[in-house]
Amino acid sequence: MSHKQQLIDQVIEAWRALQQQTPLVQCMTNSVANNYVANILLAAGASPAMIDNPFEAEDFTKISAALSINLGTPTTEQTQAMLISAQTAQQQQVPWVLDPVGYGAVLKWRSATVDQLLTFQPSIIRGNASEISTLAGSQIQSKGVDSTLNSHEVYAQAKSLLQYTECIAISGESDFIISKQFDAVIQVNGGCHLQPKITATGCALGALTAAYHAVSSPTIAALASHVHFAIAGKLAYEHAQTVGSFNVAFLDYVHMLDDNLIQQYVDIKIL
Amino acid sequence: MSHKQQLIDQVIEAWRALQQQTPLVQCMTNSVANNYVANILLAAGASPAMIDNPFEAEDFTKISAALSINLGTPTTEQTQAMLISAQTAQQQQVPWVLDPVGYGAVLKWRSATVDQLLTFQPSIIRGNASEISTLAGSQIQSKGVDSTLNSHEVYAQAKSLLQYTECIAISGESDFIISKQFDAVIQVNGGCHLQPKITATGCALGALTAAYHAVSSPTIAALASHVHFAIAGKLAYEHAQTVGSFNVAFLDYVHMLDDNLIQQYVDIKIL
Amino acid sequence: MSHKQQLIDQVIEAWRALQQQTPLVQCMTNSVANNYVANILLAAGASPAMIDNPFEAEDFTKISAALSINLGTPTTEQTQAMLISAQTAQQQQVPWVLDPVGYGAVLKWRSATVDQLLTFQPSIIRGNASEISTLAGSQIQSKGVDSTLNSHEVYAQAKSLLQYTECIAISGESDFIISKQFDAVIQVNGGCHLQPKITATGCALGALTAAYHAVSSPTIAALASHVHFAIAGKLAYEHAQTVGSFNVAFLDYVHMLDDNLIQQYVDIKIL
């Protein structure tokens, strides 16, 4: 298992690679999130493109450096496109991230799509505690698309998902990255309590994870994106304590993050 | 008829209940509004979920505390979902709010959908003066989706809509709440002239009305949401007089509203 | 050919006409852009309406003062609506602007739609350098939906597109307006390097061009919208140098622009 500073060095390296390569990231996300996701990815250094129709999905995935699939507000056409792109990503070895928004017993249609998508082996699965827990077989119910569980309650159980993927990332008050490569769980601290008050932060985190995955391994990608958000959230909250102003400051700090800030503020723990 | 302070007390009680219960609100809204609506509802204390496909509509409405339907940019699938959810809401007694965006002679397709939706008896109908006037049988034409009428010109005429619903809310320079329960019209003052310069404020107001309806009666829900916006708009304008900055401050004050601010700034009149 | 000050006078006149007439602009745009586009158009003085379904497209285009078509995230229904509205615009002489987002060899489906749309003779074609270059027959590949070319490299080649349209606008570090009317190219300077870091600024620029086209000729409309953005971008950057805060300030200045600011800050060159 890597030592902590080695992991931090790799996160910094991933951040640098993101700035240098500005990878093209195909984002299939929901209608609530897509503007925000695009702005977060641009601010972080990536080049997002929201191509999500079944007529262009295959061709576009082939030229993308990474793919992000988020099930927030699926339509029939978008679902078709997701299945095409996930299959293409698997065949062409394009790294891809699955965000199973709303997975559970109530939203059966999307959950069935998620089950199909899993067969195309996402490199990383990212979700909140309720989604990941349900995906790992729990019967606990989420409340709509927001989590009713804490992230620290589910990471042990979530390890069973490593049969489908290289890495699982669970966001919450603390985030947990479950790595097959390192056979370890990494806890990421930071952020602030206002983040869940802004819609689509989780969706943007999933897309940013895909962006980092274009330039690094699954574990380092998940770690880097969660550290990126944790630091930006913490610094933004120091400058703005109300939700509208915090949201503006958060985008500022997602953009202003650099290797010095990562080294100074990163707060991770290997479990 | 309730006295004014009784109404205010009930608004404050509704606000408290919203904070305590954070009700799950299913929002079927338009592609312009959905990010903004979700952020407003989160800031105000509710838990929004934008489930708007026909394959999940019924199951999701059944577990929702309230439903908001907004006709801004309907697609075939979304329209199917709206009809399913409205019917489910009626059958399961889930309170629901209808926002007939663009209702009128030009936009015939959505207007026909609105006519169908009315048969499922929304608890509250919310719109701008042009939409409500046309819905009440006037031949006056709106300009696109923005109103060409003033709210005070139409509230008398709008009473005919009480055959379909418990309460009608008309937004404008002053807002008017037409209550079947109290057999009265309540005027809500406040807000500021920049609000119509920000897209989807009306849509967000409709969704917030649904959120309040999860915890209070139709009249109090409509009154509380309009008071919430009127105060937040007034206070935001005191802090920011330009449209971009005002928009940020508005979200701040939607979040910061509390019982003291309501008591201090509420400006309503029973007509 | 007009002299420079004559052009500036016409830009100022167009801005005044936009404030006075608040034209209804039908925007068929992408799911990333639509909230931002609506807010930019409202701030600039226009009245946007995002009607993009095939069942209402024809009726709505007939009553619109201008039409903006943007191919960012097309669906089957939206594509049908675009073809209907473009044809209606041509028949009814409603001025319309085409923004061929992502045109090129990879995104074949939308590119075929763009080829069809061209037969309905848009008054103005607006895009980034990669899109316009590819549309003009170059084989150079764009990176996703962002440009890999500089605007000054392609304007000579872009003149061939005047067979389809009255005016071509290419956005970039400097913008270039290619006018059939004046048989000239006009360079617009201004803006700032943060603008490409905000998603949908190009899409909003296309829609604003349509808004100006409701009140002025193709060349003056394209010139006015690009000058509007160039000045707002320049002034916003003087007040905010980080991407989130800049975005807020940009909307402020789009709204605050007036004839004095145009006269003071306009920076154009007739080539």
Side-chain angles (χ1 to χ4, degrees), chain B residues 58-82:
Chain B
E58 182 180 348
D59 287 341
F60 203 77
T61 302
K62 283 181 181 169
I63 64 153
S64 295
L67 165 69
S68 172
I69 294 185
N70 172 300
L71 273 282
T73 56
T75 62
T76 299
E77 279 194 4
Q78 200 197 34
T79 300
Q80 290 167 354
M82 287 172 176

Side-chain angles (χ1 to χ4, degrees), chain A residues 19 21-24 31 34-36 38-39 41-53 55-56 59-60 63 75 77 247-249 251-252 255-256, chain C residues 31-36 72-77 105-111 142-146 194 196-200 241-248:
Chain A
Q19 309 312 305
Q21 297 178 34
T22 60
L24 177 62
S31 59
N34 42 20
N35 183 276
Y36 187 68
N39 276 332
L41 260 62
L42 285 169
S47 179
M50 273 61 188
I51 309 300
D52 66 348
N53 67 67
F55 318 110
E56 300 175 328
D59 288 342
F60 202 77
I63 65 152
T75 62
E77 280 195 3
N247 202 8
V248 173
L251 193 59
D252 283 343
H255 185 50
M256 289 192 291
Chain C
S31 60
V32 183
N34 44 20
N35 182 275
Y36 187 69
T73 56
T75 62
T76 298
E77 280 195 3
V106 174
L107 298 171
K108 293 185 191 78
W109 181 60
R110 73 181 61 198
S111 300
S142 63
K143 176 177 178 179
V145 294
D146 296 323
L194 286 180
K197 282 283 177 189
I198 297 166
T199 197
Q241 292 79 39
T242 52
V243 70
S245 308
F246 170 81
N247 202 9
V248 174

Side-chain angles (χ1 to χ4, degrees), chain A residues 75-248:
Chain A
T75 62
T76 298
E77 280 195 3
Q78 199 197 36
T79 299
Q80 290 167 354
M82 285 173 176
L83 291 166
I84 293 167
S85 281
Q87 181 168 35
T88 304
Q90 184 188 30
Q91 286 167 356
Q92 308 277 324
Q93 299 181 288
V94 175
W96 77 280
V97 176
L98 176 62
D99 192 339
V101 179
Y103 191 89
V106 175
L107 298 172
K108 292 185 191 77
W109 182 60
R110 74 182 60 199
S111 300
T113 302
V114 167
D115 291 340
Q116 275 188 277
L117 287 167
L118 281 176
T119 66
F120 302 118
Q121 298 184 294
S123 338
I124 305 168
I125 301 173
R126 188 221 79 83
N128 65 36
S130 290
E131 290 151 1
I132 296 296
S133 176
T134 319
L135 203 57
S138 159
Q139 302 302 319
I140 288 163
Q141 201 50 61
S142 63
K143 177 177 179 179
V145 294
D146 297 323
S147 187
T148 51
L149 291 175
N150 288 324
S151 47
H152 71 266
E153 297 172 314
V154 304
Y155 72 79
Q157 176 201 9
K159 285 185 186 173
S160 67
L161 291 170
L162 288 178
Q163 63 183 301
Y164 302 112
T165 189
E166 297 297 310
C167 183
I168 300 137
I170 309 167
S171 57
E173 206 179 309
S174 286
D175 306 320
F176 294 89
I177 315 293
I178 302 161
S179 166
K180 190 189 279 181
Q181 183 191 353
F182 297 130
D183 189 21
V185 177
I186 307 162
Q187 179 173 347
V188 180
N189 299 314
C192 92
H193 70 283
L194 287 179
Q195 274 170 308
K197 281 284 178 188
I198 296 166
T199 196
T201 45
C203 307
L205 183 51
L208 185 59
T209 303
Y212 271 110
H213 196 7
V215 300
S216 60
S217 73
T219 301
I220 298 303
L223 187 59
S225 65
H226 286 71
V227 164
H228 199 138
F229 262 40
I231 297 176
K234 183 184 160 67
L235 295 178
Y237 189 68
E238 288 178 9
H239 283 73
Q241 291 79 39
T242 52
V243 68
S245 308
F246 170 80
N247 202 8
V248 173

Side-chain angles (χ1 to χ4, degrees), chain B residues 233-256:
Chain B
K234 184 185 161 66
L235 295 177
Y237 188 69
E238 288 178 10
H239 283 73
Q241 292 79 40
T242 52
V243 69
S245 308
F246 170 81
N247 203 8
V248 174
F250 182 64
L251 193 59
D252 283 342
Y253 279 101
V254 167
H255 184 52
M256 290 191 293

